[in-house]
Structures are given as C-alpha cells and as structure tokens.
Amino acid sequence: MISEMNFLERILYLLQNYGMSFLQGAGTTLAIAIVSTIIGCVIGFAVGVVQTIPVDKKRDGLPKRFILKLVKIILKAYVELFRGTPMIVQAVFIYYGAAQVFNIHLGMWQSAFLVVSINTGAYMAESVRGGIISVDPGQMEGAKAIGMTHVQAMLYVILPQAIRNIIPQIGNNFIINIKDSSVLSVIGIVDLFFVHKSVAGALYTFFESATIVMCIYLVMTVISSRLLLLWEKKMDGSDNYELVDAMGVGTQFGQEGKGRL
C-alpha cells in the first residue's frame, strides 16, 4: 500500500500514523539535552574554577601545592578524555563496560544523563577557564585590594563577567546536545533518532522518515537559538541607564556615553 504512494503521501502517512511517536521522541531528546546541559554547566564551572586557582609558593605550603597540582592533573585528564573520544563510544563504555568490568549496573536513563552531562562538562570546563582568563587581571587585584578572599572575588567579581562571556558557548553546547543525543539510541534510549530508525526499518521509508526527523531537529535548534539570543540580550541590560547622584538628580546615559539632565 505505502509503496504505491508518492513522496508527499508517504510523509503524510507517517505523520498521521506515527506523528505522536515522533513528538514523544523529540520530547525525550529535549529532556536529555536540557537536564544534561544544566548538570554539565555545573560540572564545567567547578572544573574551570579549580583549573584557574593560582599557586603562590610563598603563601601556600608544599602539601597544598602538591594536592592542587594533583587535582588539576586529574581534571585535565578528564577534560582531554571526554573531549577526545566520541560520545557514542562513551555511552557504550559506561552502559555496557561499567557493568561488565566494574559490576556497576546503570539504567539507560542514568547512563544517558551521565554521558551527556560529563561530556558537556568537559567542553564547558575549557570555556569557563577561557572566560575567567579573559577577565582583566586588574579585577582580581582590585577585589583583593579591598579585602576580598579569592573565593569572594571569583564569586562576586570574576564569575559574573565570565558568565556573560561564555553564554554563547552554553547555547552552542545545548544545541549540540540536542543533535548529538541521537547517539544514545545505541543503548536503547527512545529518542527522536530511535523513533526514526524504528519507523524507517519497519516501513522502508528511510528518506521520508529522515525528512520528518530533520525538520523536527531543525525546529528545535532554531527555536533554542532564538531563545538563547534573547537571554544573551537580557544579560546585556538596557541600552540606556540612569545614575543618581547624592542630590537625587538623575543623569541618563546612552551607548554614546553622552549624558543629559
């Protein structure tokens, strides 16, 4: 029956009979991407901050310097490992290898969130480290000059500026996770790509099913890009702002730096 239909009719047939399955698969893909990106950002920020902790030979004792150096080596190895290997291999290693070698049995969902989160964390770690380094060193010196500790300076001075610098990278990682989560079908996650393989394999409509799935992926990534762009503009603040002096008189400034009473 379906073999007698033309291309458009086959697409309509798939949407009519498997449309809900495609939507459920898309929902699974979005859920994995959103949760894993959030967890990955937390991991990335923690790793990136630790990697930028300075070592002072005069102030820090040998044990502290040794421990910090060892931690940085371990974190560097983690970043290189998960940035240098494919996510599909990581998924197979964690889901199947952990059970076989380490007797650690993780469910499909646990493995999916773990794989995408630690993969995102590895990429975010380098982005955070670069964002922190990009902040003028004078900011840290000024914060310490007024009595802030290193932790306080990072929390209240450096990180707020670094976050603004790495927002585009956070958005990129989220969009990448939407697309790359398709490899999780190898461990049985019923995401959008898994639905495509199931439908196409059952009806031999590979091209038609792929067309539908590509459109759904495109819609998700385009909408995500627009929302992230709005967030970025929100972080920039207003083009005009007002300063109030001691007399309570407001002076409005624009982008040109010119003020008017």
Side-chain angles (χ1 to χ4, degrees), residues 231-253:
W231 180 35
E232 187 176 342
K233 290 182 178 180
K234 186 70 174 179
M235 291 288 290
D236 286 337
S238 176
D239 291 338
N240 297 300
Y241 58 93
E242 187 176 83
L243 299 178
V244 179
D245 58 20
M247 300 297 294
V249 179
T251 303
Q252 190 178 52
F253 288 83

Side-chain angles (χ1 to χ4, degrees), residues 63-199:
K64 182 179 179 180
R65 297 202 310 270
F66 173 78
I67 293 174
L68 186 58
K69 182 68 174 179
L70 180 61
V71 170
K72 287 185 176 182
I73 291 175
I74 294 174
L75 293 180
K76 184 66 175 178
Y78 152 69
V79 171
E80 294 297 333
L81 174 63
F82 284 94
R83 290 180 66 198
T85 56
M87 188 185 294
I88 189 172
V89 177
Q90 297 166 14
V92 171
F93 176 82
I94 290 177
Y95 183 64
Y96 296 106
Q100 181 177 350
V101 179
F102 305 106
N103 200 29
I104 300 175
H105 299 276
L106 298 175
M108 291 185 300
W109 283 97
Q110 293 173 315
S111 300
F113 285 123
L114 180 61
V115 169
V116 183
S117 296
I118 58 181
N119 190 279
T120 303
Y123 283 94
M124 281 303 305
E126 287 300 291
S127 299
V128 171
R129 186 180 67 84
I132 292 174
I133 294 175
S134 68
V135 177
D136 189 342
Q139 300 281 335
M140 177 63 77
E141 296 173 3
K144 290 185 176 181
I146 61 175
M148 285 188 176
T149 64
H150 180 81
V151 175
Q152 290 174 326
M154 288 294 296
L155 187 61
Y156 299 111
V157 179
I158 305 301
L159 282 181
Q161 299 178 70
I163 290 174
R164 173 59 189 85
N165 294 337
I166 64 176
I167 284 179
Q169 187 58 39
I170 294 176
N172 287 339
N173 283 328
F174 175 63
I175 292 173
I176 289 172
N177 286 341
I178 291 177
K179 297 181 295 182
D180 286 1
S181 61
S182 59
V183 304
L184 297 176
S185 62
V186 73
I187 60 174
I189 293 295
V190 186
D191 66 339
L192 183 56
F193 185 72
F194 186 95
V195 174
H196 156 68
K197 290 197 305 180
S198 301
V199 172

Side-chain angles (χ1 to χ4, degrees), residues 1-18 22 199 203-209 212:
M1 176 182 174
I2 193 172
S3 60
E4 299 174 358
M5 300 178 183
N6 59 38
F7 175 72
L8 182 58
E9 288 174 339
R10 285 195 292 269
I11 286 183
L12 293 176
Y13 177 85
L14 293 180
L15 290 174
Q16 181 179 359
N17 292 274
Y18 300 97
F22 284 119
V199 172
L203 301 175
Y204 297 98
T205 52
F206 294 95
F207 185 49
E208 293 82 1
S209 179
I212 295 172

